[in-house]
Amino acid sequence: MTSPLSAHDPERDLVLERDIDVPVALVWKAWTTPAHLKHWFVPKPWSLASCEIDLRPGGAFNTVMRSPEGEEFANLGCYLDVVPQERLIFTDALLPGFRPSPKPFFTGALLLSPTETGTHYKAIAIHGNPETRKQHEDMGYHEGWGTVVDQMVAYIKAEM
């Protein structure tokens, strides 16, 4: 079955896609375990001050990012779809329990599939309009999300 996320809207979506040389099971574990996520989820020297994961549709996916200067930025949201070792879809448009968010920014999708040497990794940031997509791109989406994939792979290889 083809995922409904297979077709992208280039005016509203940002996509990062690559093959990585770590197994799907470990990528899934790195993405769904707060103790692991805290080591790689934001580009260094930023850090993840806290993380709450309730891995089910409507469950919390809350993070607090900390800048090198110590400022903290909360990102509150929930999971929309959870298919173990295949797909995670999360959003800040809804809070846990599917409560509407006062200021939505994007919906994220992580799509994983096994390859001969590891994992095909696709991250999609889905925005409500071209302006928000552009804002996210200008914030450094490709560089930032690319960096965290590299950090995740290095962490998996060294620690998992």
Side-chain angles (χ1 to χ4, degrees), residues 4-15 122 124-134 137 142:
L5 297 171
S6 298
H8 302 293
D9 178 350
E11 290 190 14
R12 295 185 296 166
D13 301 345
L14 294 168
V15 180
K122 182 187 274 189
I124 308 166
I126 303 163
H127 303 86
N129 57 60
E131 296 76 25
T132 305
R133 177 212 178 270
K134 173 97 170 81
E137 185 173 43
H142 291 288

Side-chain angles (χ1 to χ4, degrees), residues 3 17-19 22 26-27 36-37 55 70 75 79 81 85 87 94-95 97 112 121 123 130 135 144:
S3 167
E17 189 168 12
R18 64 171 69 158
D19 289 329
V22 292
L26 293 181
V27 174
H36 293 308
L37 199 77
L55 197 60
N75 298 286
Y79 291 103
D81 191 21
Q85 299 187 35
R87 181 173 61 239
L94 298 170
L95 301 175
L112 305 172
Y121 182 100
Q135 177 187 0

Side-chain angles (χ1 to χ4, degrees), residues 23 45 50 61 101 116-117 120-121 129 159:
S50 67
F61 182 41
S101 169
E116 287 184 24
T117 58
H120 183 76
Y121 182 100
N129 57 60
E159 302 295 330

